[in-house]
Amino acid sequence: MSDGLKWARRLRLELAVEIQQLASGARKVTQVPAHGQVDVSAQTLATLQDRFGQLEDMIAALELKTGFTD
């Protein structure tokens, strides 16, 4: 269980960094369909923020179950 918690915390850190980079404009996400390049940074940011929230819930549940905290 603690390995899963360590993995979840590491993923949380990685997501937080990606969210910060997208929110600050330091990173952009684009798609290249047939009609040209499209910026999808806003959609990607929203998706990552949603995943971050889900991960926070998962970490809280694991911490509650195992008794491990930060």
Side-chain angles (χ1 to χ4, degrees):
M1 189 67 77
S2 73
D3 287 340
L5 193 53
K6 287 178 188 176
W7 173 85
R9 288 176 178 160
R10 175 66 186 179
L11 182 57
R12 177 177 59 183
L13 175 63
E14 291 174 8
L15 281 174
V17 169
E18 287 187 45
I19 288 168
Q20 178 59 33
Q21 289 174 343
L22 283 169
S24 69
R27 184 172 153 227
K28 234 170 114 171
V29 180
T30 57
Q31 287 183 340
V32 185
H35 64 277
Q37 201 172 37
V38 178
D39 184 3
V40 292
S41 297
Q43 296 94 325
T44 303
L45 179 59
T47 300
L48 290 178
Q49 288 172 330
D50 184 49
R51 288 181 184 166
F52 187 85
Q54 292 171 357
L55 188 58
E56 286 284 284
D57 293 342
M58 185 179 81
I59 290 171
L62 284 170
E63 287 176 342
L64 184 63
K65 187 173 183 171
T66 64
F68 293 119
T69 58
D70 284 338

